[in-house]
Amino acid sequence: MTKYISFLLILFYQSAFSQSNIQPVPLKDVKTQKGFWHDRLQTASNVTIPHVLQQCAQSGRFDNFAIAGGLQKGKFKGALFDDSDVFKAVEGAAYTLQNHYNPKLDKYLDSLITLFAAAQEPDGYLYTIRTINKDTTGSYNWNAGPYRYSFENGSHELYNVGHLYEAAIAHYEATGKRSLLDVAIKNADHLVRTFGPNPGQLVLVPGHEEVEIALIRLYRTTGKKEYFDLARFFIDMRGRSDKRPLFLDGHKLGPSYFQDQIPVVRQKEAVGHAVRAQYLYSAIADMLIVQDDEHYSKAIHHIWDDATLKKQYVTGGVGAREDGEAFDSAYVLPNNNAYAETCAAVANLLWNHKMYLYTGDAKYMDVFERVLYNGFLGGMSVKGNEFFYVNPMASNGANDFGKGSGAIRHDWFGTACCPTNVSRFLPSMPAYIYAIRDNELIVNLFAESQTSVKLKDTVVKLHQETNYPWDGNIKLTVSPEKAHNFPISIRIPGWAQGKAIPGDLYTYSDKVPVRLDVKINGKKVETNTQNGYLKLTKTWKKGDEISITMDMPVRKVVADANIKSNTGKIAIERGPVLYCAEGKDNQGKTNSIKIAAEQSFKPQFRPELLGGINTLTSENNKITLIPYYAWANRGANEMTVWFDAK
Ligand SMILES: [Zn+2]
């Protein structure tokens, strides 16, 4: 009997979580002309990318490659993970080339790639600190280790090259040039020879995950299965390989810091360093898309439930604890000393998108959207050249939260992972809007854009017009090559269905009804959703119009009673956007603001303010709220997300 039940359970898992066969519509095929995301893509290409490239140059990060390559004399400058910032800056630059070709930037990237190729050792190894310093010795602290891969937990050797591969693929896709791809392949072939189960090969796992994601991506680009197999080897060996402790500022970090405490298939909780963890989880989801496996599937769903239903801020930020930049225990989500690293928000985006591609369930895109508009976007200034490393939920306008950030943004950090992660993710945003599955066209995000997609039987042009996230009106104009019957699936966000987030960690406390109207060529249609999607199947012909109207009321959000820091508190949202109060708009004081359950707010679009935002003003005009992402653009200020309920 027990055997029979477990057989059924396995069947359930396989049918519920089997490969969805969804393909994202690539960045190159999605164009923006105006709107919220177009403005931000412009900021990325005009400000953020030039800024991070310049910071990399000024800080000596490019010189390290030139010195390692023998093109320049000098000493290694900076930290052993700095190569990764350079690769991330190049990856972001390559995405902006895909959005809008710029011959000057293309040429500049060519000059950088010459440095990378020069710094690569003859067998493919690429790690400027060791090539310059030769074999260094030292304690097991943040150290390159006495010889190659002798101290992977601290060296970031594999982490850095993971970012190299991602940059190389983005550059190849942007330009068709193999220059950087060849550097990446030469390094990946070196890894394939070096690591594995065969005699003479090293059995260890990356101290900072990332190369797993990159190897699977490189497998997709080149078709070389050994890259996928190596990614799987690194995932399989977690919790099984030799461990060396890592010391950070004198204290020992245990194996759970690296998600190396037990084999992944037995892991059930999101633990340890939040960026490392979510890069691993992203890689597992991606691995499952290629090669489904019930044990890993079960593990990743358990871990996702733990991270999303118990350990996530209302911004979608994760990694509450500063000590170890780590996930804390369930429901421990302090407000004013929240860590919520910007990189952890990026990693959360990547993970949820992979989970979506694996399962086809819109709940992952709901989390993605929450992170996108709040936890992620809050990591960058409106102008695009200042950043947060940590993203608190409250500020007294003075605390620096231990990273020189939190109260005010900075143009760069000694450890510059966050600015470069913003610069690589932001310009890739259009790649997350659309997807296809055989003959099905899927709209996952609302953003003014155009795309042309090749379905199994036809080519379809789609034009999306919207003022989202400021209102919930979307018009889609569908133009297939010739009249053809196929489904169009449109994700109806959780917020438009009365659900703040999958699960119950955050819920709307008010009972405002949500209205959803959908019309095809002016005629109302049924709005039943399945798995979060409204599926419209018919014979589509050129110029057919779908109009979607989602009411976007101001909502009051309460947290699960287990989150002690939010007891008796309310947060305010409208659509996908979380709001906060900043001192600047509220006579300098926000921490004492109280909000009554019946208090109503009026949205008003203010084009001149903070790049153009909807503010929310309470009817007695005493409280003005701005989108959380737009705080800390007007100097140090008090800021509050969670208000005491009156
Ligand atoms: Zn970071």
Side-chain angles (χ1 to χ4, degrees):
M1 187 63 191
T2 321
K3 241 184 191 168
Y4 181 62
I5 288 169
S6 61
F7 174 67
L8 274 182
L9 279 176
I10 288 166
L11 266 186
F12 169 76
Y13 262 103
Q14 282 175 340
S15 59
F17 307 123
S18 65
Q19 288 163 267
S20 75
N21 206 21
I22 297 171
Q23 309 287 330
V25 174
L27 183 59
K28 254 190 161 164
D29 296 341
V30 184
K31 294 292 167 215
T32 63
Q33 282 88 27
K34 58 177 184 153
F36 186 91
W37 287 103
H38 181 72
D39 292 349
R40 277 150 189 85
L41 296 183
Q42 292 287 103
T43 302
S45 74
N46 296 336
V47 180
T48 314
I49 297 292
H51 173 80
V52 298
L53 287 170
Q54 191 195 17
Q55 290 287 346
C56 284
Q58 277 173 3
S59 58
R61 280 168 168 79
F62 295 153
D63 290 341
N64 288 336
F65 288 92
I67 296 162
L71 305 171
Q72 193 178 310
K73 290 232 172 308
K75 283 185 176 159
F76 179 86
K77 274 183 241 129
L80 41 74
F81 37 68
D82 285 358
D83 291 357
S84 68
D85 295 324
V86 175
F87 299 138
K88 282 192 284 179
V90 169
E91 185 187 344
Y95 293 139
T96 66
L97 287 181
Q98 295 186 47
N99 293 329
H100 182 77
Y101 183 68
N102 169 352
K104 237 176 103 184
L105 181 61
D106 187 1
K107 248 186 135 168
Y108 183 67
L109 295 186
D110 285 344
S111 69
L112 293 179
I113 292 164
T114 308
L115 300 182
F116 306 155
Q120 185 165 39
E121 297 194 13
D123 66 350
Y125 184 79
L126 180 48
Y127 186 54
T128 63
I129 187 170
R130 188 184 310 286
T131 307
I132 295 170
N133 291 349
K134 307 299 169 208
D135 285 344
T136 53
T137 52
S139 64
Y140 289 117
N141 206 318
W142 296 106
N143 195 287
Y147 50 89
R148 283 182 182 187
Y149 309 115
S150 55
F151 184 43
E152 215 334 276
N153 277 351
S155 72
H156 292 68
E157 277 158 302
L158 294 169
Y159 168 78
N160 288 357
V161 296
H163 283 301
L164 161 69
Y165 304 175
E166 295 215 67
I169 294 161
H171 179 257
Y172 172 67
E173 286 170 351
T175 64
K177 294 183 215 172
R178 291 192 55 106
S179 49
L180 190 53
L181 188 63
D182 286 339
V183 174
I185 287 172
K186 194 171 168 186
N187 183 274
D189 290 343
H190 151 76
L191 295 194
V192 167
R193 289 192 302 274
T194 307
F195 298 94
N198 301 318
Q201 288 185 309
L202 295 174
V203 179
L204 57 80
V205 298
H208 193 315
E209 298 92 325
E210 156 61 23
V211 77
E212 301 88 340
I213 294 174
L215 280 164
I216 297 173
R217 207 170 159 187
L218 196 60
Y219 156 65
R220 283 208 179 87
T221 302
T222 62
K224 279 200 198 170
K225 180 75 178 353
E226 52 266 50
Y227 301 151
F228 176 84
D229 293 341
L230 181 58
R232 174 141 196 169
F233 175 77
F234 284 144
I235 294 168
D236 283 343
M237 292 316 296
R238 290 205 98 77
R240 294 190 171 100
S241 69
D242 292 338
K243 290 184 249 320
R244 250 190 238 283
L246 176 68
F247 291 88
L248 177 63
D249 302 330
H251 75 263
K252 191 172 160 182
L253 294 160
S256 61
Y257 177 79
F258 319 96
Q259 302 72 45
D260 201 16
Q261 67 281 23
I262 48 170
V264 173
V265 286
R266 284 170 34 214
Q267 295 187 22
K268 290 191 166 145
E269 290 177 19
V271 294
H273 188 272
V275 181
R276 284 170 162 82
Q278 294 180 108
Y279 282 181
L280 171 66
Y281 308 151
S282 302
I284 293 166
D286 209 4
M287 177 185 91
L288 289 167
I289 292 168
V290 179
Q291 196 174 74
D292 208 0
D293 178 307
E294 62 178 286
H295 303 290
Y296 276 107
S297 181
K298 217 169 148 175
I300 202 65
H301 282 91
H302 273 305
I303 296 168
W304 186 87
D305 283 353
D306 183 61
T308 314
L309 309 183
K310 296 175 186 167
K311 296 178 177 173
Q312 184 160 268
Y313 281 103
V314 69
T315 54
V318 286
R321 203 168 71 202
E322 182 179 357
D323 180 18
E325 306 187 315
F327 282 102
D328 212 318
S329 310
Y331 306 110
V332 178
L333 293 160
N335 290 321
N336 55 4
N337 54 347
Y339 198 71
E341 183 180 343
T342 302
C343 284
V346 172
N348 202 10
L349 289 167
L350 300 175
W351 180 22
N352 275 283
H353 188 245
K354 293 295 184 198
M355 291 298 286
Y356 159 70
L357 293 176
Y358 173 45
T359 64
D361 193 326
K363 73 178 181 182
Y364 301 106
M365 291 310 292
D366 282 348
V367 176
F368 182 100
E369 186 176 59
R370 175 168 290 273
V371 183
L372 183 69
Y373 283 100
N374 305 293
F376 165 71
L377 212 49
M380 185 183 86
S381 67
V382 167
K383 285 197 179 123
N385 56 0
E386 291 185 322
F387 308 89
F388 273 148
Y389 196 115
V390 302
N391 295 275
M393 305 297 125
S395 172
N396 63 9
N399 276 352
D400 75 356
F401 302 102
K403 276 280 175 193
S405 82
I408 54 163
R409 298 168 187 275
H410 289 252
D411 61 0
W412 196 243
F413 303 94
T415 298
C417 51
C418 294
T420 48
N421 234 341
V422 169
S423 82
R424 82 175 175 126
F425 184 84
L426 181 61
S428 76
M429 185 276 171
Y432 299 90
I433 303 173
Y434 303 106
I436 57 169
R437 168 169 41 196
D438 299 324
N439 265 320
E440 183 183 3
L441 172 56
I442 305 167
V443 180
N444 274 318
L445 296 172
F446 300 127
E448 175 94 18
S449 57
Q450 301 200 39
T451 188
S452 175
V453 299
K454 209 177 164 316
L455 300 179
K456 201 166 131 239
D457 299 329
T458 187
V459 175
V460 184
K461 283 202 169 98
L462 186 73
H463 183 197
Q464 181 181 168
E465 293 164 272
T466 182
N467 195 27
Y468 201 83
W470 307 129
D471 68 44
N473 305 327
I474 293 106
K475 190 172 108 182
L476 299 168
T477 308
V478 188
S479 295
E481 249 174 359
K482 51 181 190 293
H484 197 78
N485 188 287
F486 61 91
I488 299 179
S489 291
I490 300 158
R491 174 180 152 264
I492 303 301
W495 67 259
Q497 303 187 62
K499 213 161 167 38
I501 194 165
D504 297 320
L505 196 58
Y506 303 104
T507 48
Y508 297 135
S509 64
D510 55 68
K511 297 285 170 258
V512 182
V514 275
R515 194 175 58 98
L516 167 68
D517 269 341
V518 181
K519 290 176 183 158
I520 299 176
N521 297 329
K523 268 199 204 126
K524 253 191 174 184
V525 296
E526 287 286 328
T527 57
N528 300 327
T529 59
Q530 207 183 0
N531 264 352
Y533 288 93
L534 173 66
K535 196 169 182 177
L536 304 170
T537 306
K538 72 179 222 66
T539 301
W540 298 99
K541 52 185 195 323
K542 251 187 200 117
D544 277 347
E545 272 183 24
I546 305 168
S547 57
I548 301 157
T549 310
M550 299 179 287
D551 273 354
M552 206 182 253
V554 176
R555 305 301 303 258
K556 298 191 178 73
V557 179
V558 290
D560 185 299
N562 288 303
I563 305 179
K564 297 297 172 221
S565 47
N566 292 339
T567 305
K569 290 180 190 288
I570 290 175
I572 303 292
E573 295 185 355
R574 184 171 178 270
V577 177
L578 171 74
Y579 279 77
C580 71
E582 201 174 18
K584 197 92 180 163
D585 311 299
N586 297 282
Q587 296 88 44
K589 301 300 272 180
T590 65
N591 297 345
S592 51
I593 291 176
K594 287 186 165 48
I595 290 182
E598 66 282 2
Q599 196 150 352
S600 60
F601 288 88
K602 220 177 116 190
Q604 190 195 356
F605 191 69
R606 302 266 305 272
E608 80 295 351
L609 189 63
L610 296 163
I613 55 166
N614 255 350
T615 57
L616 301 180
T617 310
S618 71
E619 300 223 309
N620 56 15
N621 252 349
K622 285 208 180 120
I623 309 165
T624 296
L625 307 181
I626 62 165
Y628 170 81
Y629 77 74
W631 86 281
N633 281 281
R634 297 171 292 175
N637 249 308
E638 277 197 12
M639 185 278 286
T640 304
V641 167
W642 288 99
F643 304 96
D644 284 329
K646 231 187 230 172

